[in-house]
Every structure is written in structure tokens, then in C-alpha cells.
Amino acid sequence: MKQTGNIVVLTGAGISAESGIDTFRDAGGLWEKHRIEDVATPEAFARNSALVQGFYDARRAALDTVEPNAAHDALARLDARWPDDEKHSLLIVTQNVDDLHERAGARRVLHMHGELRSALCGHCGVRTPWQGALADAPPCEACGAPALRPDVVWFGEMPYQMPRIYQALAKADLFVSIGTSGAVYPAAGFVQEAAAYGARTLELNLERSEGSHWFDESRQGRAGELVPAWVEEVLG
Ligand code: NAD
Ligand code: APR
């Protein structure tokens, strides 16, 4: 895996599973306990904002009870030691809305689905760091609208910073997908995008995913084991 200059890592709920955060589509996952159309669409928020805010307030509060795991720590080591120059770059694109990558020490992190530790004004689009319950949120500081919502990208909405992600995929030498089922686009299509530009592609996942066949190599196992081993391969 050495001699790899530009790396893009995509992470999904599976990288946080060993920290105790439910994934979405595994047995007992979030989408078994809640209906997507009740808590993860703009229509759901318009229909019952208190219920949707309560769903995300509970997920935000749960963040205080979990810690990064060995997989987050390994990516933070890679981020700390991987150069950022004309021949080397690293971008960790996460679909997760938790803050475990940052708490492990990673800095080059992009949250394409938003973040629980942030609130979004549904009127003017300004994002604000947020810790408490959204139900107590004051009006938007930027525009005064009483419309703060969870800063999470819902089904039917456009994920954040897609141009920046596609630029990184176009120059990637290596694309690594960790802990994602490959069930939801646009993230599920990143492996094909990177491969089309000549990147080598590697999947690290508990089991084969919907996209495993697109990868040059797919390793099955727990992120807490596979990710540290892979990072050691890359750092040598
Ligand atoms: P999509 O259409 O690509 O998603 C397809 C998958 O999403 C389906 O296979 C199903 O698993 C699920 N899905 C979508 N709508 C559903 C519904 N009404 N009922 C049941 N399952 C449904 O996703 P999209 O609509 O293009 O979403 C746009 C973006 O929002 C995606 O990147 C998605 O990952 C993201 N998102 C984030 C969250 C979150 O909580 N962070 C929740 C939902 C969607
Ligand atoms: N180590 C590695 N992989 C794991 C582990 C683990 N310990 N535990 C679970 N996994 C894998 C599962 O095998 C599964 O393939 O993580 C994946 C989790 O898939 P999902 O629950 O679908 O989560 P994710 O892929 O992140 O969902 C994508 O869908 O609902 C939307 O926006 C939401 O960001 C989410 C997106």
C-alpha cells in the first residue's frame, strides 16, 4: 500500500459501531427502530418538528456517553503523519453526523451529511455550533427566523460540499471505504468515481456490502481491527 500520495477515505456508521453508536441498516439499527419518513426527511420536519428535533437531540446527547474507538484513533494517526504537499493529501469524508473523528484528533474531516453538534437555520441556511436541545433554540442569529433545525442532511436533500469531494476523488491514488453498506447515493458511487480516475480502491467492512464488487480489494472484519492494520501498512 506504500507509495500512495493522495488518499480519500469514506466512512459510514460502521466505523462508529464499536463505540456503541447504532448503525442504520444492521440488525437493531436505527431504521429498524424509527421510520425514515418520520425522522429523516424535510417533510417529516415540516409535519412534526418537535418529534424530529427530539430524535436528533437524543442522538446528540448520546454522543456524551461514547468514545472514539481504535478505528477512529488509527485514522487520526494517519491524519497526523500523512503529508499535505503537492504529491500527498488526505481527506476523510464521513457520512456520519457524530464527532468521533474529531475527538480522536483527526482534522482533515468533511461531514457530507452534516453534524449533530451543529444547528442549521431552515430559512437562511446559516450553520451554528450547537450543544443543547434544539427545542430550546433561540431564533437564528443571522436572520432572526425561529427556524433552527438539526444540521443533518435528510433523504431527498443534497449532501454538503459535493464539488470538493469530487475534486478529491478525481486526484485520488487510493480510495478506502470503511463501515458503510453502500446503500445510499451519492456516497455509494464514490468508489466508481475514484476508479474511473485511476485510483486503487479498498473496502474495509464487517461484511460484504452492496458495492463490494466495485472494489479492487474488499476485506471483511471489524473496523477496530482492519483500520489500524491498514494504517500501519500505509505508514510503514
Ligand atoms: P437515496 O435515495 O440515495 O437513499 C436510498 C436509500 O435511502 C434507500 O435504499 C433507503 O435505504 C433509504 N431511503 C430513502 N428514502 C426513504 C424512505 N422514504 N423510506 C425508506 N427508505 C428510504 O438517498 P437520498 O434521498 O438521495 O438522500 C440524500 C442524502 O441524505 C443521502 O446522502 C443520504 O445518505 C442522506 N441522509 C442522511 C440521513 C441522516 O440521518 N444523516 C438520513 C437520511 C438520508
Ligand atoms: N466494523 C466495520 N463495519 C461495520 C461494523 C464494524 N464494527 N459494524 C457494522 N459495520 C458495517 C455493516 O456491515 C454495514 O455494511 O457498517 C455498515 C453500516 O451500514 P449502514 O447502517 O447502512 O450505515 P451507512 O452505510 O453509514 O448509511 C449510509 O444512509 O440512512 C442514511 O444518511 C444515512 O449516512 C447514512 C447513510
Side-chain angles (χ1 to χ4, degrees):
M1 275 297 169
K2 292 182 183 175
Q3 287 82 45
T4 293
N6 299 305
I7 304 175
V8 175
V9 177
L10 171 70
T11 65
I15 199 171
S16 297
E18 290 161 78
S19 295
I21 297 183
D22 285 345
T23 64
F24 291 91
R25 294 174 184 83
D26 287 316
L30 274 175
W31 297 147
E32 277 189 14
K33 299 169 185 166
H34 305 272
R35 293 180 345 133
I36 283 174
E37 46 270 36
D38 290 343
V39 294
T41 65
E43 295 77 13
F45 187 67
R47 190 168 55 244
N48 188 339
S49 61
L51 181 135
V52 173
Q53 283 176 340
F55 173 69
Y56 289 97
D57 288 348
R59 291 180 68 193
R60 186 181 308 105
L63 287 183
D64 297 334
T65 67
V66 297
E67 296 293 332
N69 64 53
H72 298 104
D73 294 341
L75 288 185
R77 279 197 302 280
L78 178 65
D79 191 9
R81 290 176 51 189
W82 197 251
D84 188 7
D85 55 32
E86 66 281 354
K87 290 187 178 172
H88 301 82
S89 62
L90 170 69
L91 182 63
I92 300 169
V93 180
T94 187
Q95 300 173 92
N96 298 339
V97 291
D98 64 52
D99 59 350
L100 295 181
H101 282 304
E102 291 85 353
R103 284 165 57 191
R107 289 290 165 262
R108 291 179 269 187
V109 179
L110 188 164
H111 284 266
M112 65 179 285
H113 290 167
E115 302 178 66
L116 288 170
R117 298 273 195 215
S118 167
L120 174 68
C121 175
H123 184 70
C124 72
V126 165
R127 303 171 70 190
T128 314
W130 194 256
Q131 298 302 340
L134 266 174
D136 311 332
C140 171
E141 287 181 3
C143 74
L148 287 191
R149 53 164 271 189
D151 183 19
V152 167
V153 176
W154 286 323
F155 286 99
E157 294 183 323
M158 178 58 72
Y160 284 121
Q161 300 199 53
M162 293 307 297
R164 181 181 168 204
I165 294 171
Y166 284 117
Q167 283 164 11
L169 292 171
K171 77 173 192 179
D173 303 297
L174 177 62
F175 174 77
V176 184
S177 177
I178 302 170
T180 181
S181 60
V184 181
Y185 287 83
F190 289 171
V191 54
Q192 292 163 262
E193 188 78 15
Y197 282 97
R200 278 175 296 118
T201 57
L202 169 66
E203 180 183 52
L204 307 177
N205 205 59
L206 190 64
E207 59 206 11
R208 288 186 65 79
S209 73
E210 294 186 30
S212 291
H213 59 285
W214 292 112
F215 288 86
D216 296 319
E217 184 184 359
S218 179
R219 300 176 190 172
Q220 275 71 55
R222 293 188 307 106
E225 289 169 10
L226 293 183
V227 179
W230 168 67
V231 168
E232 286 319 302
E233 280 176 35
V234 171
L235 294 176

